[in-house]
Amino acid sequence: METAARSGSISYGEMIPPETLRHALVTGVIPPNYIAQLRALLDEAPLSVLSAAVAQIEVENDVPRRATWQRMRQLATATACTRGIWL
């Protein structure tokens, strides 16, 4: 989760806290002040980073991978991501 949080925050002064990112990926709710970091993560992070975050959520939060990928897709739509995997 730490790597994913850093990946989405590279271009921003404030890093999205890993627990905030986890909460967003589990619940689909992101605080407004971290929308840009989440969008950057979903649009720009390597798929291996996204996949590792999904796997970590499955193990630590008992959420099926498929559900997390679906939630990511919903968040990508809500934040206007343009990456092909979300379209």
Side-chain angles (χ1 to χ4, degrees):
M1 208 53 55
E2 182 79 27
T3 300
R6 272 186 275 137
S7 293
S9 303
I10 290 172
S11 299
Y12 300 95
E14 185 176 0
M15 184 174 109
I16 185 170
E19 285 310 311
T20 300
L21 177 58
R22 176 191 310 277
H23 183 273
L25 297 178
V26 170
T27 67
V29 177
I30 183 82
N33 52 323
Y34 293 115
I35 290 173
Q37 289 92 331
L38 179 65
R39 182 176 34 243
L41 171 70
L42 296 174
D43 257 348
E44 300 169 8
L47 289 178
S48 60
V49 170
L50 297 177
S51 185
V54 169
Q56 186 175 350
I57 288 169
E58 180 181 47
V59 170
E60 295 176 0
N61 297 90
D62 199 31
V63 176
R65 290 176 191 221
R66 181 177 176 92
T68 302
W69 281 113
Q70 288 173 335
R71 201 158 298 103
M72 281 181 167
R73 184 171 286 109
Q74 292 166 345
L75 288 165
T77 299
T79 59
C81 289
T82 58
R83 191 176 197 168
I85 62 169
W86 308 125
L87 303 177

